Amino acid sequence: MAEDIIFVRAISDTISLAFKSHQRILQQQTLEEKQREITEINESLERKVRARTNDLNMQNKHLTDFAFTNAHHIRGPICRLLGLQNLLTLTDDCQEVLKISDYLSVSIEELDRITRETSEKLNALAEENW
């Protein structure tokens, strides 16, 4: 009888251990699956961050190009126009006024061309980003 009790307790303990072991295996599998999901989500986020970073770098390059155009290409004709305007106030010679007028026309046409090209570039960039 004492042996039967010991045997039943041993069986009971074995079943309990087997059940706990099975539960641990299931929990381990669940944890591994969740870890795979987290890894996939992280990789997806990293890809999105890289893509967004590339987009932002490209936009920054376009903005830098625009700033350069504004600072150098547009400012050049404007400075020439201002200088020619000052020359006009200093002269009474009709020939010189005509020559300055021609230079004014050239600078105005150049400024118009540059602003149109810049506007077209900005419109194209805006369409890309919409």
Side-chain angles (χ1 to χ4, degrees):
M1 176 118 141
E3 295 171 356
D4 291 339
I5 293 174
I6 293 173
F7 178 73
V8 170
R9 283 187 183 164
I11 294 288
S12 173
D13 289 344
T14 303
I15 291 173
S16 175
L17 288 174
F19 179 75
K20 287 179 183 178
S21 176
H22 179 70
Q23 290 297 91
R24 283 190 194 116
I25 290 171
L26 291 178
Q27 288 175 346
Q28 182 65 30
Q29 289 172 345
T30 301
L31 287 173
E32 288 172 357
E33 179 61 30
K34 294 297 180 187
Q35 184 62 40
R36 279 191 292 275
E37 289 175 15
I38 290 171
T39 300
E40 289 174 12
I41 290 169
N42 283 341
E43 289 171 356
S44 173
L45 287 173
E46 288 174 10
R47 283 190 300 273
K48 288 178 184 179
V49 166
R50 278 193 300 275
R52 185 66 179 140
T53 299
N54 288 339
D55 290 345
L56 289 173
N57 286 336
M58 187 59 70
Q59 288 178 0
N60 282 341
K61 182 188 178 312
H62 292 308
L63 288 173
T64 301
D65 291 345
F66 178 73
F68 179 84
T69 296
N70 186 42
H72 299 284
H73 297 154
I74 294 174
R75 286 295 302 157
I78 289 174
C79 289
R80 283 191 296 280
L81 288 169
L82 292 171
L84 292 168
Q85 177 188 21
N86 287 334
L87 287 176
L88 277 176
T89 62
L90 299 175
T91 187
D92 292 333
D93 182 3
C94 288
Q95 290 295 18
E96 198 170 332
V97 168
L98 288 174
K99 192 184 280 188
I100 292 171
S101 177
D102 288 340
Y103 291 141
L104 283 168
S105 294
V106 169
S107 290
I108 289 169
E109 288 172 8
E110 180 183 4
L111 184 59
D112 182 56
R113 179 186 55 78
I114 291 168
T115 55
R116 285 179 191 272
E117 289 172 359
T118 303
S119 179
E120 288 171 6
K121 287 178 184 178
L122 287 174
N123 288 336
L125 287 174
E127 288 176 11
E128 283 179 19
N129 293 317
W130 294 108

